[in-house]
Amino acid sequence: MAKVIIRTTRKVMPALLPPGAIDDIAKVCGCGRKTVYNALRKGMKGPVSNRVKAYCLEKYGTEVENNNE
């Protein structure tokens, strides 16, 4: 039987955000800079924090390839 290799990609959070990214995220999500900081660095949970994390992952996340055999 042939071996099948499935390659999938997923996005991961960046280690460092580019300059001005916190202001951009705060403006788009409708919250303050401190809320963005707490959501990304302190791991706060809630509807606004989840929105901040999702936007950050979508805009600034990098794609990583997963190899599942």
Side-chain angles (χ1 to χ4, degrees):
M1 184 175 274
K3 186 175 183 180
V4 177
I5 298 174
I6 300 171
R7 291 196 171 125
T8 58
T9 59
R10 66 183 177 98
K11 284 192 170 186
V12 294
M13 288 283 209
L16 286 175
L17 292 173
I22 291 181
D23 292 328
D24 174 50
I25 296 168
K27 182 188 272 186
V28 170
C29 294
C31 60
R33 296 185 70 215
K34 188 65 176 177
T35 305
V36 174
Y37 176 82
N38 287 338
L40 298 178
R41 300 289 177 226
K42 302 288 185 179
M44 297 290 181
K45 295 181 181 178
V48 177
S49 295
N50 292 339
R51 194 173 350 146
V52 166
K53 291 175 191 175
Y55 180 75
C56 181
L57 190 63
E58 177 186 327
K59 185 162 183 183
Y60 299 107
T62 56
E63 288 191 1
V64 176
E65 187 174 302
N66 289 342
N67 292 333
N68 295 332
E69 295 182 25

